[in-house]
Amino acid sequence: MKTASFWIVLLIACLSVSALPAAEKVDLNRADIEELTTLPGVGPALAERIVEYRRQNDGFRKIEDLLNVRGIGEKKFAQLEDRITVTPPAKKKGDGKAPPR
């Protein structure tokens, strides 16, 4: 028969694990090189190509656009797709909106 202290320790362990935040996804339109290198299989050179693609194309529209970056094939994309997200690209100055008052 298990003791009460065993059940208390087990309960605390379960509560601790459930309180951990879910891994946040890396936003391809916001992440810097350092954050991109936290992704599996992404080193500094590939991270730089991702940032360069983002700059040249005014951001990523969907995560599948990552396949357009040299060094990202179907296999690597499959490893990354659950770890990445894309928010709308940041608006540039002169985007046609009236300036704030």
Side-chain angles (χ1 to χ4, degrees):
M1 178 173 219
K2 307 271 186 217
T3 65
S5 60
F6 169 81
W7 292 111
I8 291 171
V9 169
L10 182 61
L11 177 63
I12 291 170
C14 290
L15 291 174
S16 298
V17 170
S18 65
L20 294 174
E24 290 192 31
K25 293 186 176 189
V26 173
D27 185 345
L28 297 177
N29 283 332
R30 306 268 186 284
D32 60 15
I33 291 172
E34 184 177 327
E35 187 175 3
L36 289 167
T37 59
T38 66
L39 293 168
V42 177
L46 183 53
E48 286 181 31
R49 287 196 300 272
I50 293 169
V51 169
E52 183 62 19
Y53 177 90
R54 178 176 67 202
R55 186 187 66 74
Q56 290 180 352
N57 295 280
D58 294 325
F60 291 85
R61 304 292 183 269
K62 56 189 180 204
I63 63 170
E64 291 80 8
D65 289 344
L66 189 60
L67 289 163
N68 297 324
V69 175
R70 187 172 48 87
I72 303 287
E74 293 288 337
K75 186 175 178 181
K76 188 173 297 275
F77 180 78
Q79 293 174 329
L80 299 173
E81 67 181 322
D82 291 338
R83 306 264 322 265
I84 57 176
T85 189
V86 171
T87 58
K91 295 286 185 184
K92 292 184 175 183
K93 291 183 180 180
D95 62 0
K97 292 186 177 181
R101 295 180 185 216

